[in-house]
Amino acid sequence: MMSLLKQEHGDVERVLSGLSRRAAWSGGPPIANVLMAKALAQPDLISLAAGFVEHQSLPVELVEKAIEKLFSSRATALESLQYGTTLGHPRLRRALWDRVSQAEAAVGLRHAGPEQIVITAGSNQLLYLVAEALLDPGDIVLCATPSYFVFLGMIKSFGARTVGVASDRDGMIPEALEDRLAWLERRGELERVKAIYVASYFDNPTGLSLGPERRPALLEVAQRWSRKHRLYIIEDCAYRDLSYYEEEWPSIRSYDVTGQHVVMVGSFSKSFSPGLRVGWGLLPPALLDPVLVLKGHHDFGSPNFNQMVMATILEEGWLEEHVARLRSIYRRKLETTLKAVEGMLRPVVAVKYVPPRGGLYVWLQLPEEWDTGVEGPLFQAAVEDGVVYVPGEYCFPEEGEPTLRCCLRLSFAMPDDINLEKGMERLARAITRCGSAAPR
Ligand SMILES: Cc1ncc(COP(=O)(O)O)c(C=O)c1O
C-alpha cells in the first residue's frame, strides 16, 4: 500500500514536471554514479567497484602511432574529421570481420559478413538500440542470474521487464531456460518474451563463461520456442579477449547457421580503450535496418575519427600486441585477488566463489544472513575503512529468480597491485568488524 502511494505520488510529480513515462522508468541515478560520488567525497577510497580498465596500461603510444599514420595522408586525415555513415566505417567493419571470423574458425560464421556489422559508440549503445528495436512496454527479456546491472536498468527504462533464468558456474542453464519459458506460457506471457541476454565470456558480474555445450543448447531452446515470433539471443562478448588461460570457445552465434537468432555484441572498451567508445554488433538481417534507422535518430554515425584510429590499430596488428600485454597484467591481478580472498577473507567469513579464468571481476557470496547493500552495515563499514564494491543485489533481474542480498562484485582491474591488496585488506577488516557486530 505504502509503495503504491509512493508510486502514485511519484507519478503526480512526474506529470507536474512535464516528464515522460520513459524518464520515470529510467529511475534514479545508476549505482555507478552513487559509487562515483562516494569516491570523489573520499579521495583515498579504493574502488573495487568501478568496471574501469587499468589506467596505466591504456594504449597511449599505440593510439599516438595510429593518429600519426592516419594524419600522414591529408586525404585520410580529412576523411576522419568528416561525418561518416550510420553503419560505421567500412575499413573498421572489414578489419573487425576478419578478426571475428578468424576467432570463429573452429565452427565458422554462416550467413554473416562485414555488411551486417554495425559500429556503435561503445557496445552499450548497441545493446540500447537492439532493445529499442525489440521492446514495447511490458515485454520481457530473459536474463542470466545474475546479469550486467547496466543492461538490467536499460531494459527497465523501456518499461520492459527482466526475468531471471537460473545460472550456475557454467552460466545460464538450458533446462532452466526451457522451464522459465514454459512457466511464462502457463501465465499467458510467452508472447511478451522478446530476447534472452547472456554474456558468454567472463561475464559481468561473475567473471564466468557459458559452458561450451550450453552454447548450442541455449540456441536450440530459443529456436524451438520461437513460435509466434522470433526469440533473439543477445550474446554479449564484451570480455571475450580477456582470457588468461588460453581457452577459446566458439560463440553462440557460430552455431546459428541461419544467422537469424543471435545478436553478437562486442567492444574494444575492455581490450583496448573505453575512452575511444568503439563497440559493434553482428546483426541478424531482420534487425539491421530497424537498428540503423534508430541509430540515425541518435547520432548519424559514431565518431568517424575514433573508428579510423581503431581500424588502423586492427590493420597494423597492434590490438593483438596490446591484448597479449593486458592478459598478463590482468592474470596477475586476478591471481592477487583470489589469493587475498583465500588468505584474508576466508579466515574471517565463509565466502563462496568460483575462480574466473578471465575478465575483470570476482563474484563473492557471503553467508545468507549478510546484507551487502548500500544501506547495509557491510557497505557502510567498507566505506569507513576506505573501500567500495558493487553490492550484488543490483545484478539480479526483477522477476523470476530470487535476489541474493549477500553477494558482492569485486573489480580488480583499476587499482594498482599495492592498492588492490590494500583494498582487499580493508574489505577483510570491514567484514571482521561487521561479523563481530552481527551483520543484520
Ligand atoms: C557485459 C558488458 N557489456 C557491455 C558493456 C558496455 O561497455 P562499452 O559500452 O564500453 O562497450 C559492459 C561495460 O562494462 C559490460 O560489462
Side-chain angles (χ1 to χ4, degrees):
M1 186 61 187
M2 252 336 262
S3 75
L4 201 67
L5 283 176
K6 227 163 127 189
Q7 190 185 333
E8 278 172 9
H9 178 66
D11 234 29
V12 172
E13 257 181 23
R14 173 183 69 78
V15 172
L16 288 176
S17 311
L19 294 175
S20 68
R21 285 197 296 159
R22 283 285 319 267
W25 290 331
S26 295
I31 173 66
N33 295 4
V34 176
L35 296 171
M36 191 74 84
K38 287 207 184 291
L40 289 175
Q42 199 178 326
D44 74 331
L45 194 78
I46 296 174
S47 177
L48 300 177
F52 281 29
V53 297
E54 193 192 66
H55 204 63
Q56 294 307 324
S57 63
L58 285 166
V60 175
E61 289 75 19
L62 292 179
V63 172
E64 214 170 5
K65 273 205 295 183
I67 294 174
E68 216 173 275
K69 189 153 194 333
L70 210 56
F71 277 48
S72 65
S73 138
R74 187 162 175 81
T76 45
L78 288 171
E79 188 191 351
S80 73
L81 298 175
Q82 187 54 277
Y83 277 120
T85 64
T86 307
L87 190 57
H89 199 283
R91 258 178 66 195
L92 178 58
R93 286 170 33 242
R94 163 52 63 188
L96 230 167
W97 168 252
D98 290 346
R99 186 167 192 264
V100 175
S101 48
Q102 208 176 327
E104 300 286 359
V107 179
L109 285 177
R110 271 175 282 176
H111 286 279
E115 65 287 351
Q116 280 160 255
I117 291 183
V118 180
I119 308 293
T120 48
S123 58
N124 234 53
Q125 192 194 19
L126 198 275
L127 292 171
Y128 189 94
L129 290 167
V130 169
E132 199 174 17
L134 291 180
L135 301 175
D136 287 313
D139 281 348
I140 293 172
V141 179
L142 297 177
C143 300
T145 310
S147 269
Y148 171 41
F149 58 85
V150 173
F151 181 78
L152 298 175
M154 186 193 287
I155 298 307
K156 204 171 154 195
S157 80
F158 287 98
R161 297 154 58 193
T162 53
V163 176
V165 177
S167 308
D168 62 15
R169 60 189 301 142
D170 289 319
M172 187 184 277
I173 303 168
E175 295 75 16
L177 174 63
E178 180 109 39
D179 290 349
R180 182 59 67 215
L181 286 161
W183 178 76
L184 288 163
E185 184 180 38
R186 286 196 298 278
R187 293 161 56 112
E189 296 186 308
L190 187 60
E191 283 180 35
R192 302 309 315 240
V193 182
K194 294 293 186 65
I196 301 157
Y197 173 73
V198 204
S200 49
Y201 299 90
F202 318 113
D203 85 355
N204 179 359
T206 68
L208 304 176
S209 295
L210 186 68
E213 67 300 331
R214 287 194 180 173
R215 294 164 185 253
L218 285 184
L219 177 67
E220 191 276 324
V221 176
Q223 284 170 329
R224 194 154 34 76
W225 283 82
S226 294
R227 294 181 187 160
K228 295 220 171 119
H229 62 76
R230 195 171 295 137
L231 240 177
Y232 291 96
I233 294 188
I234 302 172
E235 181 181 25
D236 187 335
C237 303
Y239 297 88
R240 183 172 186 168
D241 283 319
L242 301 185
S243 149
Y244 311 142
Y245 302 91
E246 306 300 330
E247 272 147 18
E248 189 40 76
W249 290 330
S251 62
I252 308 176
R253 173 60 180 85
S254 70
Y255 297 100
D256 184 8
V257 292
T258 63
Q260 307 274 10
H261 281 270
V262 180
V263 180
M264 189 187 203
V265 185
S267 175
F268 294 109
S269 289
K270 312 297 175 178
S271 57
F272 198 71
S273 157
L276 283 178
R277 308 304 299 129
V278 182
W280 56 272
L282 176 66
L283 299 188
L287 280 184
L288 196 59
D289 281 346
V291 161
L292 282 178
V293 170
L294 290 168
K295 185 165 166 42
H297 293 315
H298 284 233
D299 63 10
F300 324 137
S302 305
N304 216 22
F305 178 80
N306 301 23
Q307 293 183 63
M308 289 182 77
V309 167
M310 207 56 232
T312 308
I313 301 278
L314 284 170
E315 288 161 0
E316 297 296 321
W318 295 336
L319 178 65
E320 309 314 326
E321 193 183 298
H322 186 67
V323 164
R325 233 184 101 229
L326 284 186
R327 282 181 175 149
S328 80
I329 293 171
Y330 288 143
R331 177 177 166 158
R332 195 188 64 238
K333 287 190 169 196
L334 167 64
E335 288 172 359
T336 302
T337 310
L338 295 177
K339 219 165 111 198
V341 172
E342 281 300 313
M344 297 178 193
L345 302 192
R346 213 186 258 295
V348 295
V349 70
V351 59
K352 286 198 238 165
Y353 69 101
V354 180
R357 299 183 62 76
L360 302 179
Y361 310 108
V362 176
W363 176 252
L364 302 180
Q365 185 173 346
L366 303 185
E368 220 175 83
E369 64 277 15
W370 286 73
D371 173 4
T372 58
V374 174
E375 302 298 334
L378 179 61
F379 193 83
Q380 303 298 332
V383 172
E384 279 166 28
D385 282 332
V387 65
V388 278
Y389 56 80
V390 170
E393 64 186 341
Y394 295 110
C395 306
F396 288 82
E398 285 182 303
E399 302 169 51
E401 293 297 307
T403 295
L404 297 182
R405 304 205 181 281
C406 57
C407 297
L408 55 104
R409 188 197 78 177
L410 300 177
S411 312
F412 53 79
M414 202 175 61
D416 60 25
D417 295 86
I418 295 173
N419 274 334
L420 182 54
E421 280 200 35
K422 217 195 258 182
M424 293 301 285
E425 257 168 43
R426 291 178 180 184
L427 182 60
R429 201 177 317 141
I431 290 177
T432 309
R433 284 206 291 135
C434 284
S436 51
R440 275 181 167 174

